[in-house]
Amino acid sequence: MVFRKPPDGGWGWVIVVVSFFTQFLCYGSPLAVGVLYLEWLDAFGEGKGKTAWVGSLANGIGLLASPVCSICVSSFGARPVAIFSGFMVAGGLMMSSFAPNIYFLYVSYGIVVGLGCGLLYTATVTITCQYFDKRRGLALGLISTGSSVGLFIYAALQRELIELYGLDGCLLIVGALSLNILACGSLMRPLEPSSSPPPEKTCVEKLPDQYFVYHEKEKTVEENISILEKGYIDEKCVNNVPDCKQESILNKNVLSSININEKDTYKKKVVEQTNFCKQLAKRKWQLYLTYWKETMVLFKNKVFSALFVAILLFDIGGFPPSLLMEDVARSANISEDDYYMPLISIIGIMTTVGKLVLGILADFKWVNTLYLYVTTLLMTGVALFAIPFAKSYLTLAMLSGILGFLTGNWSIFPYVTTKTVGIEKLTHAYGILMFFAGLGNSLGPPIVGWFYDWTQEYDTAFYFSGFCVLLGGFLLLLAALPCWNACTNQSSKLPPNTYSYKVASNA
């Protein structure tokens, strides 16, 4: 299906609003899971690394399943996927309130809620990119702030609900709030296809229509013959009973010959259906091979290859603070009287600011979005190295704000991906990149938790996290250097709709 030109407005702004609230409702609790993390540590008495798997799965499993999520959105559309995923998120949160152990939470909160969030994220990003072109950076920045605002509000909301109703009551209420995703999903009207005539069907695509036309014609003829025969026999029986007996004998002979013809016709149908199934299987196999060929072509782009390594290392090192910062403060023996605001809430509000600012910057022609993204990675690595030296609430709050602002680079990541591979391959490439991002999200917090279990302090863990993020940033910067232009500018060797990311002032 060929979509018409993105309107860059109109109903697109409604899509931005409902996508904002969708991400607010689905990601609010998983991103603010640090508040629940402390309660689960006390409730189940498991190690920090083992307990951290719950939050890391909730934030990583949806990204790990991004290729599947992309296929679902491409096959069924954003609206049905959003409505179905709303039930998944709400159901998973409510089921988690009855969790008897940490392993139950792995499934209910980690897998069910995480997969629902992944489907919703892919649906909102895809439909927003379809509605916007020139203002895509602003639109993506606006919708991505929904998760950050959700982190800011849900961090305080879940803390208050736990004090009033306990952990189980908190999860039930948060799950009920997530049902509002259904209303948001119903407003995700798909972009109308273009008025240009569709391409002519291939022989394989025409085969089902031809078969059904033949089948309907044959069925109509058989029905007409049976009706005429029945009317003729009834008329004979009314007028002359002896003749009726003779006719019945003759009709038996005729029916026996008809049965032979029916067997031949049935055999022809079986052969046709067998050929159709073979052609269909062959076509599906060709599509499967085409998918992997396109994937290999994507990885021939040096910037894309470096991008997937950078996003993997960034999520291994950059995600743990949003989950474990509250426990870092508790491990540093910071008094609760010094808390003016939860550190997770600071991360959330500054992530909102970062997404908006970085999203707006990405729309300026003089800003190179790839260099902007690399800068955020390098600064994040430096901030992670500084966490072990923070021993007061003020320093931890400042670092939380810096990390939150830099984490706002998620708003420009789809923009960078689109500029790298083109809008036509966005869903395919973005699904692959989000798979590696989910792998990093799933591994990061447990690794940091295991470092603490082994060393009884977070210093070594955050040194490791900072090194991972810096390594990814330097690799991406190396791939984007102008010295690679001689290799990456050979666009003629790339298939249509795919081009290399030129590091220029007008990117």
Side-chain angles (χ1 to χ4, degrees):
M1 180 179 293
V2 180
F3 293 103
R4 63 184 177 89
K5 185 179 179 180
D8 277 306
W11 190 260
W13 295 118
V14 178
I15 297 296
V16 169
V17 172
V18 298
S19 297
F20 171 89
F21 281 105
T22 297
Q23 293 200 16
F24 170 85
L25 293 168
C26 73
Y27 274 107
S29 180
L31 289 179
V33 73
V35 176
L36 304 176
Y37 172 75
L38 298 177
E39 300 296 326
W40 288 330
L41 281 174
D42 298 334
F44 300 114
E46 301 288 352
K48 295 181 185 295
K50 196 173 184 179
T51 307
W53 272 110
V54 180
S56 63
L57 284 175
N59 288 276
I61 198 70
L63 299 177
L64 282 171
S66 287
V68 178
C69 297
S70 300
I71 293 173
C72 291
V73 174
S74 300
S75 302
F76 304 106
R79 179 189 286 172
V81 170
I83 294 174
F84 174 77
S85 303
F87 284 110
M88 289 186 64
V89 173
L93 289 170
M94 293 179 182
M95 288 170 56
S96 300
S97 64
F98 303 101
N101 51 53
I102 200 71
Y103 302 103
F104 187 91
L105 286 174
Y106 289 164
V107 178
S108 61
Y109 197 98
I111 297 178
V112 177
V113 175
L115 185 58
C117 291
L119 288 167
L120 288 168
Y121 181 79
T122 305
T124 53
V125 168
T126 302
I127 196 169
T128 302
C129 288
Q130 291 175 356
Y131 268 87
F132 288 90
D133 183 18
K134 295 180 181 179
R135 299 177 179 177
R136 185 175 295 146
L138 175 62
L140 291 174
L142 288 173
I143 70 167
S144 61
T145 56
S147 59
S148 304
V149 174
L151 169 59
F152 172 72
I153 294 178
Y154 272 71
L157 176 63
Q158 290 184 147
R159 186 187 294 272
E160 189 68 23
L161 290 176
I162 289 173
E163 293 179 359
L164 294 176
Y165 305 104
L167 179 61
D168 298 343
C170 170
L171 291 171
L172 282 174
I173 294 173
V174 171
L177 289 175
S178 300
L179 289 173
N180 290 284
I181 296 173
L182 307 181
C184 295
S186 64
L187 295 175
M188 293 182 183
R189 187 175 68 191
L191 188 64
E192 297 177 359
S194 62
S195 58
S196 58
E200 186 178 355
K201 291 184 177 181
T202 61
C203 295
V204 177
E205 292 174 338
K206 288 182 178 180
L207 185 56
D209 296 336
Q210 292 175 353
Y211 170 73
F212 286 124
V213 170
Y214 165 77
H215 181 71
E216 291 297 330
K217 287 181 179 179
E218 184 180 9
K219 182 179 178 181
T220 303
V221 172
E222 290 176 352
E223 289 177 351
N224 291 337
I225 293 174
S226 62
I227 291 172
L228 290 174
E229 288 177 349
K230 183 178 179 182
Y232 176 74
I233 293 171
D234 292 341
E235 184 179 358
K236 283 285 185 179
C237 289
V238 172
N239 295 331
N240 193 351
V241 177
D243 291 342
C244 179
K245 294 181 180 180
Q246 293 178 359
E247 289 293 335
S248 63
I249 296 172
L250 292 174
N251 287 330
K252 288 181 180 179
N253 296 329
V254 173
L255 289 174
S256 62
S257 63
I258 292 174
N259 289 333
I260 295 174
N261 293 332
E262 288 180 351
K263 290 180 180 179
D264 294 337
T265 304
Y266 177 75
K267 290 180 180 179
K268 292 180 180 179
K269 290 180 181 179
V270 171
V271 172
E272 289 179 358
Q273 290 177 348
T274 304
N275 292 333
F276 168 67
C277 292
K278 289 180 179 179
Q279 293 291 335
L280 184 61
K282 183 178 180 181
R283 181 169 176 264
K284 293 294 183 182
W285 177 251
Q286 289 175 349
L287 292 175
Y288 179 78
L289 291 178
T290 302
Y291 176 84
W292 285 108
K293 287 180 181 178
E294 291 178 353
T295 302
M296 296 305 296
V297 170
L298 287 175
F299 279 100
K300 290 180 181 179
N301 188 333
K302 291 181 176 61
V303 176
F304 180 83
S305 299
L307 198 60
F308 98 87
V309 175
I311 192 66
L312 172 64
L313 295 176
F314 171 75
D315 280 274
I316 289 177
F319 176 66
S322 62
L323 176 62
L324 304 174
M325 192 60 81
E326 295 292 332
D327 193 51
V328 170
R330 187 167 71 172
S331 301
N333 297 321
I334 297 176
S335 175
E336 293 185 0
D337 296 335
D338 297 333
Y339 268 66
Y340 302 101
M341 183 184 296
L343 295 175
I344 296 180
S345 295
I346 296 175
I347 293 176
I349 194 63
M350 290 306 297
T351 302
T352 304
V353 176
K355 287 179 177 179
L356 285 174
V357 172
L358 295 174
I360 293 172
L361 285 175
D363 283 332
F364 288 105
K365 294 183 179 180
W366 53 269
V367 174
N368 186 299
T369 50
L370 181 58
Y371 281 156
L372 179 63
Y373 184 75
V374 170
T375 302
T376 60
L377 294 183
L378 298 179
M379 294 178 66
T380 300
V382 174
L384 289 171
F385 272 114
I387 289 179
F389 301 98
K391 301 300 180 182
S392 65
Y393 173 81
L394 181 60
T395 53
L396 283 176
M398 291 176 61
L399 288 174
S400 297
I402 294 172
L403 288 171
F405 181 86
L406 296 173
T407 306
N409 61 9
W410 273 101
S411 65
I412 63 174
F413 188 73
Y415 199 95
V416 173
T417 307
T418 304
K419 286 292 184 179
T420 304
V421 301
I423 185 62
E424 293 82 4
K425 295 187 179 295
L426 172 64
T427 304
H428 185 188
Y430 200 73
I432 296 172
L433 293 173
M434 288 301 99
F435 173 84
F436 289 102
L439 186 62
N441 270 348
S442 301
L443 295 177
I447 290 175
V448 172
W450 290 331
F451 269 114
Y452 183 90
D453 293 336
W454 294 335
T455 62
Q456 296 302 309
E457 45 88 15
Y458 278 113
D459 296 355
T460 307
F462 283 106
Y463 289 145
F464 170 79
S465 298
F467 173 77
C468 288
V469 176
L470 285 176
L471 178 61
F474 279 119
L475 288 176
L476 185 56
L477 178 62
L478 180 63
L481 288 176
C483 62
W484 290 110
N485 283 351
C487 299
T488 57
N489 286 345
Q490 297 176 359
S491 58
S492 59
K493 294 185 179 181
L494 293 176
N497 303 327
T498 305
Y499 56 95
S500 298
Y501 199 109
K502 294 183 181 180
V503 183
S505 59
N506 60 351

